[in-house]
Amino acid sequence: MTNDQPTTIDPPEEPVVKRGRSFSPIWIIPIVAALLGAWLAYKFYSTLGPEISVRFETAEGIVEGKTPILCKSVSVGTVNKVRLTKDLKGVIVTMQMTSEATDLLTKDTQIWVVRARYGASGISGLGTLVSGSYIELEPGLSDEPRREFIGLEQPPVTPKGVPGLHITFFANDAGSIAPGTPILYKGLSAGKIETRIFHPENGKVEFGAFISKEFAPLVRKNTRFWNVSGIDVELGANGLQFHAGTLESLLVGGITFDQPSGAQSAPPVSDGATFVLYGSFAESQKFVMQNSLPYLLLYSDSVRGLSDGAPVEFRGVRIGTVTGVSFTYVPDDPARRVPVLIQIDPGLITNLPTESTEPAEKFVAKAVEDGLRASLKTGNYLTGQMYVDLDFQKDAPAATVTEIAAYRVLPTGGSSLSALFDKASALLDKLQGLPLEATVQQATETLAAMKATLDDLNKTVAGYGENGPLYQNINETLRQIDETLRSIRSLSSTIERKPNSLIFGKPGKVAPPKGSPPQP
């Protein structure tokens, strides 16, 4: 049966619209990664400091991206780049410093490469043989910032800020003196040489030196410094003089200092004071005159043994120096006397005004009128070295200071040899004046005394003969020494074979075991 009733259709349901989620969990990962990257970037750039450039002569031991920059063993940067200079005479090293190093980069900051070195200051940098070279930075004392530097080829001898005295030496020859060479005072280490510079315009060598605080008050205006790097031997009119430094100074060089003997204490010096560096102790003790006058001496006798630098003395006290011996001073002298040029300081004999030389000239002229003469005397009979002796001579003929060829000339006396000849002549004259009998008697007594002396000498020499007691005593002593040596050799051989003999004594004869054949 058919159902004629219409079918009822339900109206469609309206769709429910829901909003999508505003944030997906999947975005958490890239956001965290971005934040972490930004933090790392900030951390990296916040630790970066300024970039500096340093010039070196060579890039030995420096590697881009690896060589560290250290300050007191703390890393303050790394080498970024190494390139040649435009003139090809050096290298420019670019360094990326940390932010902590910003305040360290000032005008007087010192930078150098640490590598194994050997020099006057000793051996340094041996640790770099294993770890490799690195760059050391020494902070300065200035507040002025700086970004371009010239690197040191050698490490500084004295760190910045160490209390002490900085002075300068000038010398004609560097010798073995170099940066790091010790400066000694009475054998104690008082400082070191820091720099060495040669000045080609005048041929001088300049040394920068540092004296420690404890020894700085000893450096005064009249202090003298000299080289003690070797053995100083001088043979002159004053005899043989020998001076040597310490073993350290003989091996690596050294400088010492002191005030001249007998000199009064002078005021201390300040930083920047300059001194002459003498080559030896003898050179440092050379005679120094405050106000000297030149005079010429003319000798008719030989001046062999008189050399430049020989002393001029007045009664044993040095008052001058011989500055030259040459015929060029008076080339037209008809008597061909030997000219000797001297420099004397009359102020060492008496108190004279120093405003001018006129008082000193008048003093010398008056002394010559009173009998002052210049004679040659032997200072050392072994070497034959001579010196000029100024003294008043009795019965000296009248004389004055004259002038020849623009030189003031002092009158001279005889040499020591001529004086000896004069005394011998005077003795002969006296002998000739004695009666013949008295002369013969005196000669006989002299011969008798000589014969007695020869007899004593013969007796002394006889004791050294083969049958003499001294010879016999020497033979007996030698025999005893020989026996002692044989005993020592026997003892040494026994100890070598049986060391326990020192404890148990030398073994005696041991009875052979039973049943052994008889020994001869």
Side-chain angles (χ1 to χ4, degrees):
M1 187 174 170
T2 305
N3 188 0
D4 295 335
Q5 290 182 356
T7 304
T8 303
I9 300 174
D10 295 332
E13 297 181 358
E14 293 182 3
V16 177
V17 179
K18 296 182 178 180
R19 290 188 175 183
R21 296 178 180 174
S22 61
F23 178 77
S24 176
I26 199 164
W27 288 102
I28 295 177
I29 296 177
I31 291 175
V32 171
L35 293 176
L36 182 59
W39 180 81
L40 291 175
Y42 168 78
K43 189 69 175 177
F44 174 77
Y45 285 103
S46 63
T47 58
L48 289 181
E51 191 176 70
I52 64 172
S53 60
V54 185
R55 180 190 174 108
F56 292 103
E57 292 184 1
T58 176
E60 179 186 358
I62 301 176
V63 181
E64 292 185 3
K66 291 185 178 180
T67 302
I69 297 95
L70 305 181
C71 177
K72 301 185 184 300
S73 300
V74 177
S75 178
V76 293
T78 307
V79 171
N80 268 356
K81 186 178 180 181
V82 180
R83 59 184 174 85
L84 293 170
T85 58
K86 293 182 179 180
D87 57 5
L88 302 180
K89 294 183 179 180
V91 295
I92 300 295
V93 180
T94 304
M95 306 177 187
Q96 180 60 59
M97 309 302 292
T98 63
S99 59
E100 298 174 350
T102 303
D103 296 336
L104 306 178
L105 304 173
T106 58
K107 183 179 180 179
D108 55 350
T109 297
Q110 296 177 324
I111 302 175
W112 68 95
V113 180
V114 178
R115 59 174 73 96
R117 288 185 174 91
Y118 172 75
S121 57
I123 301 175
S124 63
L126 291 180
T128 59
L129 297 176
V130 178
S131 62
S133 301
Y134 62 91
I135 296 176
E136 182 74 19
L137 183 146
E138 180 70 30
L141 302 177
S142 174
D143 295 330
E144 182 179 347
R146 187 176 181 180
R147 297 296 180 263
E148 294 182 357
F149 300 87
I150 296 179
L152 304 178
E153 297 305 320
Q154 296 291 334
V157 177
T158 307
K160 291 285 186 180
V162 176
L165 180 67
H166 290 85
I167 57 178
T168 303
F169 299 140
F170 287 95
N172 295 324
D173 188 5
S176 59
I177 305 300
T181 298
I183 299 176
L184 309 174
Y185 181 77
K186 299 185 183 300
L188 302 174
S189 179
K192 287 185 177 181
I193 294 295
E194 295 184 314
T195 59
R196 181 178 64 182
I197 303 173
F198 175 68
H199 297 281
E201 63 275 5
N202 56 13
K204 298 289 186 179
V205 183
E206 177 184 345
F207 297 97
F210 173 79
I211 306 296
S212 60
K213 181 181 178 181
E214 296 79 6
F215 295 88
L218 300 175
V219 180
R220 299 180 176 272
K221 289 187 177 181
N222 62 345
T223 299
R224 296 184 182 179
F225 295 80
W226 65 91
N227 191 337
V228 290
S229 301
I231 299 175
D232 181 20
V233 180
E234 183 180 6
L235 190 62
N238 295 325
L240 179 64
Q241 298 181 359
F242 178 88
H243 300 280
T246 62
L247 179 60
E248 179 185 7
S249 64
L250 293 177
L251 294 177
V252 301
I255 296 173
T256 188
F257 64 96
D258 204 348
Q259 293 187 12
S261 57
Q264 296 181 353
S265 181
V269 300
S270 57
D271 274 0
T274 59
F275 294 88
V276 175
L277 179 60
Y278 296 96
S280 63
F281 172 78
E283 186 178 346
S284 71
Q285 299 299 311
K286 281 187 176 180
F287 181 71
V288 178
M289 294 173 286
Q290 301 296 329
N291 298 294
S292 62
L293 296 176
Y295 285 95
L296 195 66
L297 311 177
L298 298 174
Y299 289 101
S300 301
D301 300 327
S302 173
V303 296
R304 183 179 180 85
L306 185 68
S307 58
D308 295 352
V312 178
E313 297 183 355
F314 175 77
R315 296 181 178 178
V317 178
R318 185 167 184 175
I319 62 170
T321 301
V322 174
T323 58
V325 180
S326 174
F327 284 103
T328 58
Y329 299 133
V330 187
D332 300 327
D333 184 33
R336 293 301 176 188
R337 293 171 294 180
V338 183
V340 177
L341 186 63
I342 64 173
Q343 293 274 350
I344 62 173
D345 185 1
L348 298 174
I349 302 177
T350 183
N351 293 325
L352 294 172
T354 58
E355 292 78 11
S356 66
T357 60
E358 184 177 356
E361 295 173 2
K362 291 182 177 180
F363 173 81
V364 174
K366 181 64 170 59
V368 169
E369 294 176 358
D370 294 339
L372 182 69
R373 299 293 184 267
S375 59
L376 294 179
K377 290 190 176 181
T378 302
N380 189 297
Y381 288 98
L382 179 63
T383 63
Q385 296 293 320
M386 304 185 74
Y387 68 96
V388 176
D389 181 63
L390 291 177
D391 205 347
F392 294 94
Q393 297 182 0
K394 295 181 179 179
D395 302 327
T400 59
V401 177
T402 60
E403 287 193 9
I404 298 179
Y407 291 104
R408 289 188 294 269
V409 181
L410 291 180
T412 59
S415 64
S416 57
L417 291 178
S418 62
L420 181 62
F421 291 146
D422 293 341
K423 291 180 180 179
S425 299
L427 179 61
L428 290 175
D429 294 339
K430 288 182 179 179
L431 291 177
Q432 290 178 356
L434 293 175
L436 181 60
E437 295 180 357
T439 304
V440 172
Q441 183 180 359
Q442 187 175 3
T444 303
E445 293 176 356
T446 303
L447 290 175
M450 292 177 62
K451 185 176 181 302
T453 303
L454 289 176
D455 292 340
D456 293 339
L457 182 61
N458 286 331
K459 291 180 182 179
T460 303
V461 173
Y464 292 91
E466 184 176 354
N467 298 323
L470 181 62
Y471 181 83
Q472 298 296 332
N473 291 337
I474 293 176
N475 275 342
E476 179 64 20
T477 303
L478 291 176
R479 186 186 63 79
Q480 293 177 1
I481 292 175
D482 186 58
E483 291 181 356
T484 303
L485 291 176
R486 282 200 299 268
S487 301
I488 292 175
R489 281 197 297 269
S490 176
L491 176 62
S492 175
S493 177
T494 302
I495 293 175
E496 183 178 359
R497 289 184 288 104
K498 296 183 178 297
N500 59 355
S501 62
L502 288 173
I503 301 175
F504 300 104
K506 184 176 180 181
K509 288 188 177 181
V510 181
K514 293 182 179 181
S516 60
Q519 297 182 359

